[in-house]
Amino acid sequence: MSESLYPVPEAWANRARVDAAGYARLHGRSLADPGSFWLEQAKRLEWVKRPELAGDWSFDEADFHIRWFADGKLNVSANCIDRHLATRGNDVAILWEPDAPDEPSRSYTYRQLHAEVCRFANVLKAQGVAKGDRVTVYLPMIPEAAFALLACARIGAVHSVVFGGFSPEALAGRITDCDSKIVITADEGRRGGKKVPLKANVDAAQQHAPAMQTVIVVKATGGDVAMQPGRDIWYHEAAAQVSAVCPPEPMGAEDPLFLLYTSGSTGKPKGVLHTSAGYLLWVSYTHELVFDYRPGQVYWCAADIGWVTGHSYIVYGPLANGATTLMYEGVPNWPDASRIWQVVDRHKVEILYTAPTALRALMAEGDEFVAKTSRESLRLLGTVGEPINPEAWRWYHDVVGAGRCPIVDTWWQTETGGALIAPLPGATALKPGSATLPLPGVDPQLVDAEGEVLHGATEGNLCIARSWPGQMRTVWGDHARFFQTYFTTYRGKYFTGDGCRRDADGYYWITGRVDDVINVSGHRMGTAEVESALVLHPKVAEAAVVGMPHAIKGQGIYAYVTLNSGEEPSDDLRKVLRDWVRQEIGPIATPDAVQFAPGLPKTRSGKIMRRILRKIAEGDVSSLGDTSTLADPAVVDNLVANRVG
Ligand code: WTA
C-alpha cells in the first residue's frame, strides 16, 4: 500500500470552500453539538414545515429507533426541481448521452424536467398509485428513469429500482417482496450496442410475481414487444392524456422515499429503506462538499440508476443542488476504450465519478485511448464501489487527469445513503488507495473481534458509532432483521461489514468485506444468493461460493459444487451451471470458476469452513491454517488437487 502524499493543489487551496482547518472545525462541531449543526444544515432544503428536531435515535435494543428531522415536512421532488425554477429554470438539469456515439444527445432544463415529472406523476396517479404504494422501476439508463423516480417522490409513492441486468427471477423476487402492483419498464434497453429485452423479462417475471397488475412501458428502442391487454400500458399514450401540472405531496420527513434491494451475507437480498428528509439532506450535503459542486458545472456520475450510486449521485444529490447531471446510457468501453473520454470532451464534463473496475478495464486497453482525447474540462475525479488499487489511482490521476485533478475516493454503502468517508478536495491531502477522513457528522470506530474499540494507528472492523441523517431506516417488512444484521455484532454501533486500517495520520484504508459478501466489479453479491441459485439445479447437491482475486473485476466468483450421486462432472456441466446462475440472478452473478468437489470442508457440527475455500480459490494453498477441527480433513487434499484456474 502506498503512503505517498498528494497535497491539495494550489489552485484548489486558493478557492476552497472548506480548507483543512475548516474541515477540522466542521467535523469537531458536528460531533460536539450535533443538534444545532444538523438543524443549520437542514436549511439547505426547502421545507413545507421546517423541523425543530434533528437526530433522535438509539442503537440499543431496548429503545432501538432512528429518526431525523421528524417534525419536518417537505417534498423531495419539489426540492430537486420546483425550487430551482425561479433562479435556474432554463439551466440544464439532465444531459443525456445515448449508447451510440453517432446519435444526438438530449437535454432537459429544470423547467422541462418539471413538466416531464409532473406528467409522469399524473400517469401514475391515473393508474391508481397512491402515497405509500411501491412502484418497481426496471428501466434502462434513459431520462425517463429519472422522471419515474422523481414522479414517485412527487406523489409519495415508494420506488424500488431493479437493475436492468437482473433476470426475470430476480425481478419477480423483488416485486413480490415489497408487494408492488405496478412495474415501469421499457420495450428494450441498449448497452454497448446490444439490446436488453426488458419488457420480455417483465412478462417472464409475471408467473413468479402474481402481485403485479399494471406494467407501464416506455418506448425506448421501438423494438417489437407483446402488449398484454388489461395489464400493459404505453407510457407515451398515457402521458398524452394527462396534464403537466401536479402539485407535490407534502411528506413527513420520515415517510419512505425508496427501497433498494441489496445483498447481505445471508438469505435473500434485503429491501433497504431510505426516508425523505434525512436522505435528501445527506446526498445534497455530500454532493456539494465532496465534489465541490458549483453552479454551471457539468457533473457526470457514470453509474447505473439500478444501484445506490445512481440514486444518490445521478439523481437526488445533484438535482437537489441544482446541478447539470449527465446520464449515460452505455458502457465505458464501447465502441472503444475512448468512449468515456470522448463524452467528457463532448459535454465539457468538469467532475467525473466512476468505479475502480471501469478504470482497471480501461487502463488495460492502453493509454493511447485516453491520450487521443483532450479532457481539458476535467477538474475533479471521483471513485466509488471498492478499494481502488494505487496503480489504478495513479493512472486515473496522472493519465486521465493529467496530474491536475484531485481524486475523491468515496467510501459508502447502499445502507449509508451517501458518502461517509471521503476527502474534501480543497482540504484533504490524498493518499492513493485511502478514502481518507470521515465527513463532518460521521463518527467511525475500528473494533476488534470482541468489540473493543481500537485507538490510534490500527486495523479492525469498521463501525459507525452514531447515526447520521442518510442512514437506512429499516429492512422492508423485517425490522428485526435490520437490527439483527447491523446492530448486534457490536452492541450499540452500526457495523458496516468492512475491514479497515487507520494510519498514523488518521486516514482510513478500507480493506474489503469481512463477511460473506463479495464485491464483483463494484457490485455486491451475497455468496448465499449464488449458492441458493446453484442448488436449485437438479444435478447439484451442495454448493459453496467464495470470492477470488480478479484483475479487472476486483473480485470474481469461485463456486465449489458437489453433485448428486450418480452425476458426472464435465466441462459441459460446468458451462451449464454458469449459464444457470446467469439465468437465475443475472449476468453479474455468473461464476468465474466452478470446481466440482466431492466433499466440502465442514466442521463436525456441519459448518462449512469458508476460510479454507477462500484460500484455495486464491491459490494460497500453503497456509490453510488449522484443519484439525474438520470432520474429514482429507476433503481438503482433493480440493487443492482439483483447483480451477
Ligand atoms: C465497498 C456502493 C473501498 C465496501 C456505494 C462497501 C468501497 C460496499 C468503497 C458497499 C471505497 C464502496 N473504498 N470500498 N471507496 N466504496 N466500497 O452497497 O465494501 O453497492 O461495504 O454501495 O462497497 O457496496 P454498495
Side-chain angles (χ1 to χ4, degrees), residues 194-205:
K194 296 195 198 97
K195 300 271 171 70
V196 187
L198 295 173
K199 174 60 168 62
N201 287 352
V202 173
D203 293 342

Side-chain angles (χ1 to χ4, degrees), residues 384-387 409-414 498 510 513 519 524:
V384 60
E386 56 176 312
D409 177 350
T410 62
W411 173 84
W412 58 292
Q413 312 178 294
T414 306
D498 279 325
I510 307 295
R513 302 287 303 196
N519 194 326
R524 276 165 70 163

